[in-house]
Amino acid sequence: MQSKPSLADLPEQITITRPDDWHVHLRDEEVLGMTVPATARVFHRTVVMPNLVPPVTDAALAGAYRQRIMAELPEGMRFDPKMALYLTQSTTETDVKEAAADPTIIGYKLYPAGATTNSASGVTDIDAMGPVFEAMELNGVPLLVHGEVTTSDIDIFDREKAFIDRYLEPITRKFPGLKVVFEHITTADAVDFVLGAHANVGATITPQHLLMNRNDLLVGGVHVHNYCLPVLKRRTHQEALQRAAISGNPKFFLGTDSAPHVQAKKETACGCAGCFSAFSAIELYAEAFAHLGALDKLEGFASFFGADFYNLPRNTETLVLEKKSWHAPERIEHKGGVWVPYWAGRSLMYQVKK
């Protein structure tokens, strides 16, 4: 990142159209009482990830999950969670047609088996999924992709590039009518791929991948609360993501990948991957855009481009960020559990005006 700009050089407030989060993990059960209000305080629509245990694989399961989410919405808040379904090796063309008929379902999430948290039920043979991809293309159902190979012979820092070459480029070439969201991209290779692909290919970028690189994960010891998958990459890749985010190119839009893990599990040898950013999400993006001298580009990235990509109406409400130095929460306590959020205790330059 560039050196931190002086507060005096920044606008006193920024008014943007209410944003959407096109990639979030709300988890389930008691945790929803924490994640739903934190997300709905800012975002109108969210794409809710389906990697529960068991996974959300069909329209009926998604409907029941959405009801549990809405039951935790505080009175007076407007919130429209869009549900992603978990793509498995057993997903059929009939399943795709049922998903296409449900307006609360936004697409299918492709997790290569073993790629991230609760991905054991993911796809094991991507090459065999052609009939399902064709059905998605014909029925207008987007494919949301966690783009990493999982074979042990590929270095963890090269898994995104390998996935592009082996799978994503062939999929987008063979099914040009299929909308594909390359989620939480982390490399210059991914940026270049999205820029060079047809108009039906877009990408989400997280706050942690804009604000940090692998030094922030590894220098001075392993900083577990900065550990996510795909893992943070070298600075040159971070800079490519920053350029993409502030470019005004509508192929790139906001997706936090906010992913809570209770402190007791995150700070162990289990290697829980995920940055829990929901409690300061839009403020984190404002921090990144302010550092880059591009606050005027925040609204398009956060509020317009994702809605446009999914052919949904732009929101009409507005949100005000005021220049106000504050600190992200050190910890979140809920139902007897403790979570350490991303950026815990660190300063931020803007805060949502209440």
Side-chain angles (χ1 to χ4, degrees):
M1 300 292 292
Q2 298 175 8
S3 60
K4 191 168 182 175
S6 167
L7 279 172
D9 297 331
L10 296 170
E12 291 298 322
Q13 66 178 35
I14 313 160
T15 300
I16 63 172
T17 301
R18 188 178 178 188
D20 301 301
D21 184 351
W22 301 104
H23 184 133
V24 70
H25 297 267
L26 297 179
R27 305 305 190 205
D28 203 0
E29 299 176 341
E30 290 187 342
V31 178
L32 291 175
M34 172 182 65
T35 58
V36 171
T39 302
R41 78 181 179 98
V42 167
F43 300 109
H44 176 216
R45 289 169 295 212
T46 58
V47 175
V48 182
M49 293 296 106
N51 56 332
L52 305 183
V53 180
V56 181
T57 54
D58 60 37
L61 289 170
Y65 183 27
R66 191 175 192 275
Q67 287 183 353
R68 297 195 298 275
I69 291 168
M70 296 304 289
E72 298 296 339
L73 184 66
E75 186 176 353
M77 281 190 175
R78 293 180 65 249
F79 188 50
D80 183 14
K82 302 295 185 184
M83 312 305 292
L85 299 184
Y86 195 114
L87 190 68
T88 74
Q89 211 68 47
S90 301
T91 302
T92 67
E93 293 94 316
T94 299
D95 295 329
V96 171
K97 290 178 182 178
E98 290 178 358
D102 188 332
T104 69
I105 294 175
I106 202 158
Y108 273 93
K109 178 63 181 280
L110 168 59
Y111 290 106
T116 189
T117 303
N118 297 339
S119 61
S121 300
V123 174
T124 55
D125 185 359
I126 295 174
D127 292 329
M129 299 301 292
V132 174
F133 295 151
E134 182 178 17
M136 293 172 67
E137 180 182 40
L138 293 173
N139 288 277
V141 178
L143 176 66
L144 287 54
V145 179
H146 182 117
E148 292 186 290
V149 300
T150 57
T151 53
S152 60
D153 59 312
I154 302 297
D155 189 288
I156 192 171
F157 292 105
D158 298 328
R159 289 180 175 184
E160 189 170 86
K161 176 64 164 64
F163 187 91
I164 294 169
D165 295 341
R166 291 185 188 180
Y167 302 115
L168 199 53
E169 193 281 329
I171 289 170
T172 56
R173 177 168 33 84
K174 187 173 182 179
F175 305 102
L178 175 64
K179 278 189 174 289
V180 176
V181 181
F182 195 176
E183 299 201 304
H184 44 49
I185 61 171
T186 66
T187 60
D189 307 285
V191 170
D192 290 343
F193 170 76
V194 173
L195 288 172
H198 55 66
N200 283 328
V201 177
T204 58
I205 305 177
T206 74
Q208 62 265 26
H209 289 104
L210 290 176
L211 289 164
M212 290 183 171
N213 57 60
R214 64 188 188 181
N215 280 358
D216 298 286
L217 175 63
L218 298 172
V219 172
V222 177
H223 303 280
V224 294
H225 296 289
N226 296 340
Y227 173 53
C228 57
L229 288 172
V231 71
L232 296 169
K233 304 299 195 298
R234 65 171 67 244
R235 184 184 180 117
T236 52
H237 292 300
Q238 177 195 13
E239 290 170 344
L241 297 175
Q242 292 170 345
R243 289 192 295 271
I246 68 173
S247 67
N249 189 313
K251 285 190 163 203
F252 301 100
F253 42 91
L254 185 154
T256 64
D257 194 20
S258 179
H261 291 281
V262 69
Q263 182 180 16
K265 292 184 177 180
K266 184 76 171 165
E267 297 177 0
T268 67
C270 75
C272 291
C275 294
F276 184 25
S277 58
F279 280 87
S280 52
I282 194 63
E283 292 94 342
L284 287 162
Y285 283 107
E287 185 83 3
F289 278 67
H291 274 289
L292 296 166
L295 282 170
D296 60 316
K297 301 293 186 180
L298 179 62
E299 184 177 41
F301 176 84
S303 309
F304 295 157
F305 300 156
D308 295 347
F309 185 86
Y310 280 111
N311 296 320
L312 294 169
R314 294 179 176 182
N315 297 325
T316 57
E317 298 172 279
T318 57
L319 176 147
V320 177
L321 287 158
E322 59 181 341
K323 186 171 68 174
K324 179 182 179 181
S325 183
W326 66 293
H327 291 82
E330 292 271 5
R331 52 192 270 150
I332 305 296
E333 298 183 11
H334 177 75
K335 300 287 186 178
V338 178
W339 286 259
V340 177
Y342 177 66
W343 212 257
R346 298 181 63 177
S347 66
L348 290 163
M349 291 183 282
Y350 280 89
Q351 187 172 35
V352 173
K353 186 176 182 178
K354 298 178 181 178

